[in-house]
């Protein structure tokens, strides 16, 4: 059978950090805005590059059209039109003149085109623009992408022509790509700056909330009694209402203590009268029955009033008890009580440990454990108190004795209220059960196991301050 224990799991943290939510939302907006801005700027720059490139092509186009419109111009008079790339074979820069009013196809073209031909934008469904020019991208002789402008020219009796000028589109793409690289680098640096600014704003803006959280932790640990200091106007009402709640809680607890004491006095007095009257009628079976039930009632009233008293005390925020003085006082007391049996009680307590609760409750829990150990020990009892780190800090109190110990079944029975395994030892059988109840009220636990020195080990875990 498993060792008896009262286990209280720490509450799960629900929800997410307010600072994290603010940071993530601000970062998401920064990323979205910068991404949209980057796409728009890249598109605008690409269009601007295309317009600048088209102006250059249109300049060449007008030059060639002017030559075509000159009747006395010789066919080879305007081969280069001032641009050496038109003379370089397959350079990516070409011009072409095609007559369209006759079946005889005798195109004139730049030397760079060699014997190749440029495709027509008209055949690809490109419509004439407002200036009477078609423009777009086509595939060049070497498979490269060309930016082309094309214009139909009607010279009347001299014929109809389509004049085309094309340039290497990679210039546009490379300029746009270079711009995109600089733009991305700039936006990345800007993003890092904005993210750092957001972190600073979140930390600075939420600092008062962090201060309130730390102050509440100080109140719970007993280092403070109320929220002190000045707070921003937005959260000053929260601090004020929290202080009012703490004061109201203290008042309720004090009234509850008074009511518990009054109730205990009101009930115990009639019970004492019943017990005395029944005890005076010795030999009467009815009186004996009344006496028996009155004692049960007294025990139950004492038990439940004690639980109510402890529960009320636990609602007081900020109660803290030094552990070492309590353990040392109990050690000396138990050695004196069991001096006739030469029981040696030794303790090791980590310095600085604090129990988040009332001193008398700690004394009652540890006192019951040490007293029980001394009753059953042969010669020695050892108390070890350490800190246990984790999501919820704990005080770990171990009480070992070198007695006969208990089996697993006996350990389970020992923690039940009123259960006594050996009537030869003095006591009411309530000690371990009281420890279990008190530990549960504080969110702790009690475990019974076999002690390394031979007897029973009682391991008590309680919340630390």
């Amino acid at each position: 059978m498993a060792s008896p224990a009262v286990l209280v799991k720490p509450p799960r943290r629900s929800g997410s950090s307010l600072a994290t939510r603010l940071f993530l939302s601000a970062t998401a907006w920064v990323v979205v805005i910068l991404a949209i801005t980057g796409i728009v700027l890249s598109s605008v720059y690409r269009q601007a590059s295309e317009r600048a490139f088209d102006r250059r092509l249109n300049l060449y186009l007008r030059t060639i059209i002017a030559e075509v419109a000159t009747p006395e111009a010789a066919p080879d008079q305007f081969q280069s039109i001032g641009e050496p790339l038109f003379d370089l074979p397959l350079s990516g820069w070409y011009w072409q003149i095609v007559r369209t009013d006759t079946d005889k196809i005798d195109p004139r073209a730049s030397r760079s085109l060699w014997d190749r031909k440029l495709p027509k934008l008209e055949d690809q469904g490109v419509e004439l623009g407002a200036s009477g020019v078609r423009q777009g991208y086509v595939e060049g002789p070497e498979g490269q992408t060309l930016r082309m402008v094309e214009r139909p020219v009607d010279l009347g009796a001299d014929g109809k022509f389509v004049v085309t000028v094309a340039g290497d589109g990679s210039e546009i793409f490379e300029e746009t790509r270079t711009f995109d690289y600089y733009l991305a680098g700039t936006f990345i640096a800007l993003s890092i700056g904005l993210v750092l600014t957001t972190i600073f704003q979140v930390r600075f803006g939420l600092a008062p909330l962090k201060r309130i959280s730390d102050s509440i932790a100080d109140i719970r640990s007993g280092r403070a009694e109320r929220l002190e200091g000045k707070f921003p106007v937005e959260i000053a009402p929260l601090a004020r209402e929290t202080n009012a709640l703490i004061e109201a809680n203290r008042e309720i607890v004090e009234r509850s203590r008074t009511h518990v004491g009054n109730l205990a006095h009101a009930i115990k007095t009639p019970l004492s009268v019943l017990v005395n009257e029944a005890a005076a009628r010795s030999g009467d079976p009815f009186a004996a029955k009344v006496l028996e039930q009155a004692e049960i009632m007294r025990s139950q009233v004492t038990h439940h009033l004690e639980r109510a008293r402890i529960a009320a005390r636990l609602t007081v925020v900020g109660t803290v008890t030094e552990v070492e003085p309590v353990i040392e006082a109990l050690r000396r007391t138990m050695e004196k009580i069991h001096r006739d049996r030469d029981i040696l009680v030794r303790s090791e307590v980590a310095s600085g440990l604090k129990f988040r609760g009332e001193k008398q409750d700690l004394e009652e829990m540890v006192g019951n454990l040490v007293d029980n150990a001394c009753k059953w020990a042969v010669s020695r009892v050892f108390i070890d108190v350490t800190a246990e780190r984790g999501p919820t800090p704990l005080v770990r109190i171990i009480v070992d004795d070198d007695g006969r110990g208990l089996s697993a079944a006996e350990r389970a029975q020992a923690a039940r209220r009123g259960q006594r395994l050996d009537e030869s030892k003095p006591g009411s059988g309530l000690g371990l059960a009281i420890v279990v109840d008190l530990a549960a009220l504080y969110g702790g636990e009690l475990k019974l196991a076999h002690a390394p020195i031979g007897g029973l080990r009682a391991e008590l875990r309680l919340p630390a301050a």
Side-chain angles (χ1 to χ4, degrees), residues 228-285:
E228 301 291 348
K230 294 183 179 180
F231 297 95
V233 293
E234 292 81 4
I235 60 174
L238 172 62
R240 184 170 58 251
E241 293 301 322
T242 301
N243 284 331
L245 181 62
I246 293 173
E247 294 298 328
N249 180 69
R250 288 196 177 104
E251 292 178 3
I252 291 172
V253 169
E254 290 299 325
R255 287 199 299 268
S256 298
R257 286 177 175 175
T258 302
H259 292 326
V260 167
N262 293 339
L263 181 60
H265 179 73
I267 293 178
K268 285 185 176 181
T269 299
L271 280 177
S272 298
V273 173
L274 288 176
V275 170
N276 293 335
E277 290 294 328
R281 301 183 182 184
S282 58
D284 186 346

Side-chain angles (χ1 to χ4, degrees), residues 412-423 428-433:
Q413 182 182 358
R416 297 174 187 167
R417 177 166 292 277
Q419 296 293 321
R420 299 184 61 196
L421 301 178
D422 191 340
E423 297 293 337
S428 61
L430 300 178
L432 291 180

Side-chain angles (χ1 to χ4, degrees), residues 42-59:
S42 178
S43 176
V44 169
Y45 185 80
R46 179 187 177 89
Q47 294 174 8
S49 299
E50 286 181 349
R51 287 195 299 269
F53 200 83
D54 289 344
R55 284 195 295 269
R56 184 179 175 188
L57 293 178
N58 278 294
L59 176 62

Side-chain angles (χ1 to χ4, degrees), residues 74 90 138 179 202 255 290 292 312 416 434 449:
L90 302 176
V138 298
F179 176 80
V202 169
R255 287 199 299 268
V290 169
E292 175 189 346
R416 297 174 187 167
I434 291 174

Side-chain angles (χ1 to χ4, degrees), residues 67-350:
E67 295 293 342
V68 171
T70 304
E72 63 274 11
D76 58 350
Q77 183 176 339
F78 49 92
Q79 282 294 321
S80 66
I81 60 173
E83 175 58 69
L85 289 173
F86 286 118
D87 294 330
L88 185 64
L90 302 176
S91 64
W93 285 84
Y94 314 106
W95 60 261
Q96 176 179 275
I97 304 172
V98 179
R99 187 163 184 171
T100 60
D101 60 345
T102 178
D103 294 336
K104 182 181 178 182
I105 301 176
D106 186 17
R108 287 181 287 176
S110 62
R111 290 190 182 95
S112 59
L113 195 57
W114 277 25
D115 57 349
R116 313 291 180 87
K117 293 182 180 180
L118 293 175
K120 291 183 178 181
L121 291 174
E122 182 181 10
D123 296 340
Q124 298 180 7
V126 179
E127 299 292 336
L128 285 172
S131 60
V133 177
R134 296 184 181 92
Q135 53 192 29
Y137 290 97
V138 298
E139 184 177 342
E142 291 294 299
Q144 74 272 48
T145 300
L146 301 178
R147 179 69 176 175
M148 177 186 289
V149 293
E150 176 183 284
R151 179 174 180 175
V153 179
D154 187 354
L155 299 180
D158 292 332
K160 297 180 179 180
F161 302 87
V162 173
V163 181
T164 304
V165 179
D168 191 353
S170 62
E171 292 185 14
I172 299 175
F173 304 146
E174 289 175 0
E175 285 189 16
T176 304
R177 188 180 303 112
T178 301
F179 176 80
D180 289 343
Y181 287 153
Y182 283 115
L183 184 66
T186 302
F187 275 18
I188 289 174
L190 182 60
S191 299
I192 294 174
L194 290 175
V195 168
L196 293 177
T197 302
T198 301
I199 293 174
F200 171 76
Q201 288 181 333
V202 169
R203 291 178 64 89
F204 179 76
L206 297 182
L209 291 179
K210 179 65 167 57
R211 190 150 53 90
I212 283 185
S213 176
D214 293 340
S215 297
I216 292 176
D218 289 341
I219 292 173
R220 288 185 58 84
S221 63
R223 293 188 294 269
E225 294 185 354
R226 54 186 289 114
L227 297 178
E228 301 291 348
K230 294 183 179 180
F231 297 95
V233 293
E234 292 81 4
I235 60 174
L238 172 62
R240 184 170 58 251
E241 293 301 322
T242 301
N243 284 331
L245 181 62
I246 293 173
E247 294 298 328
N249 180 69
R250 288 196 177 104
E251 292 178 3
I252 291 172
V253 169
E254 290 299 325
R255 287 199 299 268
S256 298
R257 286 177 175 175
T258 302
H259 292 326
V260 167
N262 293 339
L263 181 60
H265 179 73
I267 293 178
K268 285 185 176 181
T269 299
L271 280 177
S272 298
V273 173
L274 288 176
V275 170
N276 293 335
E277 290 294 328
R281 301 183 182 184
S282 58
D284 186 346
F286 178 75
K289 192 66 175 178
V290 169
L291 185 61
E292 175 189 346
Q293 294 302 313
E295 289 295 338
I296 294 175
M297 291 172 61
R298 177 181 290 176
S299 174
Q300 291 296 322
V301 167
T302 301
H303 166 59
H304 289 291
L305 288 179
E306 180 67 12
R307 285 183 65 95
R309 178 185 64 81
I310 295 168
R313 223 171 36 231
L314 289 177
T315 61
V316 178
V317 177
T319 305
V320 173
T321 301
E322 293 279 352
V323 176
E324 189 171 6
V326 173
I327 299 298
E328 181 60 25
L330 285 173
R331 185 193 68 78
R332 291 196 302 265
T333 300
M334 291 302 168
E335 276 193 336
K336 291 178 182 178
I337 292 175
H338 300 278
R339 183 168 44 198
D340 57 331
R341 297 176 51 222
D342 292 329
I343 300 297
L344 180 65
V345 181
R346 288 291 177 263
S347 64
E348 288 186 7
V349 183

Side-chain angles (χ1 to χ4, degrees), residues 367-447:
N368 272 302
L369 295 179
V370 178
D371 183 50
N372 184 74
C374 290
K375 289 177 182 177
W376 295 98
V378 175
S379 61
R380 57 186 172 137
V381 171
F382 181 67
I383 308 170
D384 181 40
V385 185
T386 57
E388 190 170 293
R389 305 300 177 188
T392 302
L394 299 173
V395 176
R396 184 168 176 255
I397 303 172
I398 296 177
V399 180
D400 290 341
D401 66 72
D402 61 349
R404 68 177 184 85
L406 298 175
S407 65
E410 289 173 331
R411 290 197 296 268
Q413 182 182 358
R416 297 174 187 167
R417 177 166 292 277
Q419 296 293 321
R420 299 184 61 196
L421 301 178
D422 191 340
E423 297 293 337
S424 64
K425 297 292 182 181
S428 61
L430 300 178
L432 291 180
I434 291 174
V435 176
V436 170
D437 288 344
L438 275 173
L441 288 173
Y442 276 105
E445 63 176 348
L446 173 66
K447 289 183 178 180

Side-chain angles (χ1 to χ4, degrees), residues 3-30:
S3 300
V6 179
L7 299 175
V8 179
K9 295 182 179 180
R12 293 183 178 179
R13 298 181 64 183
S14 58
S16 58
S17 166
L18 181 60
T20 301
R21 294 179 63 178
L22 290 174
F23 171 75
L24 291 179
S25 61
T27 302
W29 277 112
V30 167

